[in-house]
Amino acid sequence: MKSGAWKQTLTGYTFIGPFIIGFLAFTLIPVFTSLYLSFTDYDLFSAPSWIGFDNYRHMFLEDPKFWTSLRVTFLYVFIGVPLRLAFALFVAMILNTASKAVGVYRTVYYLPSIIGGSVAVSIMWRNIFGDEGIINRLLNALGFDSIRWFGDPDAALVMLISLSVWQFGSSMLIFLAGLKNIPGEMYEASSVDGAGPVIRFFKITLPLLSPIILFNTIMQTIGAFMTFVPAYIISKGEGGPLDGTLMYSLYLFRQAFIYNNMGYASAMAWIMLIIVAVLTALVFKTSKFWVHYESGGR
């Protein structure tokens, strides 16, 4: 029995061994290494030297671009995420039909989420919003003046947000799954009582879909804070114009691999972790006021 139990234990550890090794090598050890480096002056070529909280002091008191990158990122998140979720829910409700081609439509609408973060799509987006791009030509055809998307910081950020909204496929599929789980009898009963589409949406669909909205909000917010490729490609790695697209992740990348300030970049990474953790905790804390579960709890 002891020999059999030992063999079972060894077999179990053999199967979970690759995960444990990968978790230690690529997650846990790098996390604590990054925490240590955040208190050092490290340029990737020489040994790190301990400087205490100097990186954090410089970040908060002496680096205006840090605050600029935070402002740009918060605008991107707090405008882009609600727009993406609203558009995803809108499309999901349209696709929540008995159409024979609905499977094809779901695939087509999901494609942007698969390729949306790629370099090729970011280059395409840059060309679409170029001075001679499709967007400006459409504006000219409608009688409006062209917009210098790469010369105006606000316009450049709008361009990034529009790309974010276009990548709504994953949220759409999750919303669609949630809509499928709402009993049709509830809509039928409300129709008998005289409730219109708007009332049914706010009184039935949104309350029953609120757990899905909570999940999508958290996941999309975390993903938005980590946005890097579109900002890098569209601004050619500079974050311009006038730091209008200087996302936090892009500035962190520049500090680490352009200026070789790996210690400072590590400190920035930990500040971002704290910000995301606090925002996630706030969303969970407020969820008891607007998230409804079938069991009756909140």
Side-chain angles (χ1 to χ4, degrees):
M1 290 297 295
K2 291 184 178 179
S3 176
W6 180 84
K7 288 182 179 180
Q8 289 182 353
T9 302
L10 180 61
T11 302
Y13 278 111
T14 301
F15 278 103
I16 68 173
F19 169 78
I20 294 176
I21 295 173
F23 177 74
L24 291 174
F26 300 108
T27 301
L28 194 60
I29 294 176
V31 163
F32 285 105
T33 301
S34 172
L35 179 61
Y36 165 72
L37 291 177
S38 70
F39 296 100
T40 66
D41 180 14
Y42 181 44
D43 61 4
L44 294 175
F45 301 103
S46 57
S49 59
W50 185 267
I51 58 174
F53 288 92
D54 283 0
N55 283 327
Y56 295 95
R57 179 185 57 80
H58 176 75
M59 187 187 309
F60 290 112
L61 301 179
E62 301 173 3
D63 187 2
K65 284 200 172 187
F66 166 77
W67 294 106
T68 299
S69 66
L70 266 185
R71 179 184 63 82
V72 170
T73 303
F74 272 98
L75 285 174
Y76 176 84
V77 171
F78 290 133
I79 296 176
V81 171
L83 287 177
R84 182 194 295 191
L85 293 180
F87 194 60
L89 179 56
F90 173 74
V91 175
M93 293 187 67
I94 294 177
L95 294 181
N96 188 31
T97 63
S99 172
K100 294 182 179 180
V102 69
V104 177
Y105 295 145
R106 293 173 190 171
T107 303
V108 171
Y109 283 117
Y110 184 66
L111 282 177
S113 293
I114 299 176
I115 63 175
S118 68
V119 174
V121 170
S122 298
I123 294 175
M124 179 195 72
W125 214 255
R126 182 180 176 86
N127 292 331
I128 289 175
F129 285 88
D131 292 339
E132 300 297 328
I134 297 174
I135 300 299
N136 275 334
R137 291 189 180 186
L138 181 60
L139 290 174
N140 294 335
L142 296 174
F144 298 99
D145 295 331
S146 299
I147 298 176
R148 296 191 63 222
W149 297 99
F150 300 102
D152 184 346
D154 295 331
L157 184 58
V158 169
M159 179 173 50
L160 272 182
I161 292 174
S162 65
L163 176 56
S164 168
V165 174
W166 184 62
Q167 302 165 4
F168 65 91
S170 59
S171 300
M172 180 267 295
L173 287 181
I174 297 173
F175 278 137
L176 189 57
L179 289 171
K180 293 292 185 183
N181 287 327
I182 297 178
E185 294 80 4
M186 300 191 68
Y187 291 113
E188 295 174 1
S190 63
S191 298
V192 172
D193 291 337
V198 176
I199 294 179
R200 289 200 299 269
F201 176 76
F202 285 102
K203 296 296 184 179
I204 298 177
T205 304
L206 280 185
L208 294 181
L209 210 60
S210 57
I212 307 296
I213 296 174
L214 173 65
F215 174 81
N216 271 337
T217 299
I218 292 174
M219 298 306 296
Q220 294 300 323
T221 299
I222 294 173
F225 271 107
M226 296 190 296
T227 299
F228 171 74
V229 172
Y232 182 86
I233 297 299
I234 289 175
S235 69
K236 297 182 178 179
E238 299 291 333
L242 300 176
D243 296 332
T245 58
L246 187 64
M247 300 290 291
Y248 194 95
S249 57
L250 176 58
Y251 187 48
L252 189 155
F253 169 84
R254 291 181 61 81
Q255 285 289 343
F257 300 107
I258 303 298
Y259 307 130
N260 294 327
N261 293 331
M262 184 58 71
Y264 189 73
S266 298
M268 287 186 62
W270 275 91
I271 294 300
M272 176 56 67
L273 175 64
I274 293 173
I275 291 174
V276 172
V278 169
L279 286 177
T280 303
L282 287 176
V283 172
F284 272 113
K285 188 68 175 178
T286 60
S287 65
K288 62 183 179 180
F289 300 108
W290 57 274
V291 177
H292 305 268
Y293 298 98
E294 293 184 7
S295 61
R298 292 189 175 185

